[in-house]
Structures are given as structure tokens and as C-alpha cells.
Amino acid sequence: MRIDVEKVSDRLGLSLGAAIFLFGFLKLFDPFHSWFEVQVANSGLPAPSFVMGIAGEIGTGLALLGSFFARRRLADARHVLSAGACLSLIVMMCVATYVHLQPNVPAAVLPLGIKPPVIPLSFLILAAGDLVMHARLWLERGRAGTFMESRREGGA
């Protein structure tokens, strides 16, 4: 039984994109807005981190969703777009893990009230897995394209 890496990566990207977009979108409204404000303020992050966090989550979510829904139009460029979005998500989840570990940030303002960074580390691992799959697919396609061009040149 062979696992179709492309399908797994597509579905994982869709799931990650929908979830991270929703997390960013919800932070525009209370009580999520004020909880996120407390997280940023109590963790010692600079004030611009508040806007950058929300914009980053919404933008990364849209990039992952866009690379799924426009996959035929984007062709192989979607792997680069998805890989960039996964890298962005990994950075955001590293910051979220840092916030979870700060003693001044109360559990009451964290997702599901969970102080250990279970959620950000889970998303980080999933994003890293998706990044590896997209890199693998992109490299395989690149090798296949190079191989096909050299065959055409040698046969002509």
C-alpha cells in the first residue's frame, strides 16, 4: 500500500489553513481579542506583535487555503507558496510556545485554558510535516522536469 503524499499534503494544508485563518479571524472579536492582547502584553512581546500576530495568522491561513483551492492554476508553484506558509506557521507557533511558557501569562487567556504549549507544538509539528511533504514533491517534480529536458535534448 502506497501513501499518496500529494493528497495527504493537500488535506493537511487545507486543515491547517482553515484552522489558522479561523484563529486569526476570531482574534478580531472579543473575548479572543482581549485574551490575545493580554497574552502579548504579559509575555513581554513588543506592542506591534499584536497586529502582526493577527495579520500573520489570517495571511498564512489564506495562503494555505489559496494554494489548495487554486492548485491546478498554480501548478508546481503552489508547493513553494505552501512551503512559505508552513515556514510562517512554524515561526508563529514558536512564538506561541514562548508565550505559553511565560509565567506572567495566565492559563485563562490561552486557547482552551491549557498552559502547557500542547496546541502550538501540535500545529508546529503538523506544519513541519507539511513543509517536508511540499519540499519533497517540489524536488521530485524538479528532478523529473530536468530529466525530461535532458532526454529531449539527447534524442533530438
Side-chain angles (χ1 to χ4, degrees), residues 6 10 66-78:
E6 187 127 19
D10 282 346
S67 72
F68 176 80
F69 289 113
R71 62 187 179 275
R72 295 204 197 306
R73 192 171 307 148
L74 292 171
D76 288 339
R78 75 185 183 91

Side-chain angles (χ1 to χ4, degrees), residues 31-85:
F32 303 99
H33 186 83
S34 53
W35 290 345
F36 189 56
E37 223 169 17
V38 171
Q39 291 173 23
V40 171
N42 289 5
S43 65
L45 292 171
S49 300
F50 180 75
V51 173
M52 288 173 52
I54 294 171
E57 287 184 354
I58 291 172
T60 299
L62 288 174
L64 287 167
L65 290 170
S67 72
F68 176 80
F69 289 113
R71 62 187 179 275
R72 295 204 197 306
R73 192 171 307 148
L74 292 171
D76 288 339
R78 75 185 183 91
H79 296 300
V80 177
L81 177 63
S82 292

Side-chain angles (χ1 to χ4, degrees), residues 55-121:
E57 287 184 354
I58 291 172
T60 299
L62 288 174
L64 287 167
L65 290 170
S67 72
F68 176 80
F69 289 113
R71 62 187 179 275
R72 295 204 197 306
R73 192 171 307 148
L74 292 171
D76 288 339
R78 75 185 183 91
H79 296 300
V80 177
L81 177 63
S82 292
C86 286
L87 284 171
S88 172
L89 184 54
I90 290 168
V91 169
M92 285 188 288
M93 291 303 108
C94 287
V95 173
T97 299
Y98 167 81
V99 169
H100 274 256
L101 296 174
Q102 295 308 302
N104 293 338
V105 177
V109 298
L110 294 170
L112 303 176
I114 301 171
K115 185 69 175 161
V118 174
I119 296 171
L121 289 175

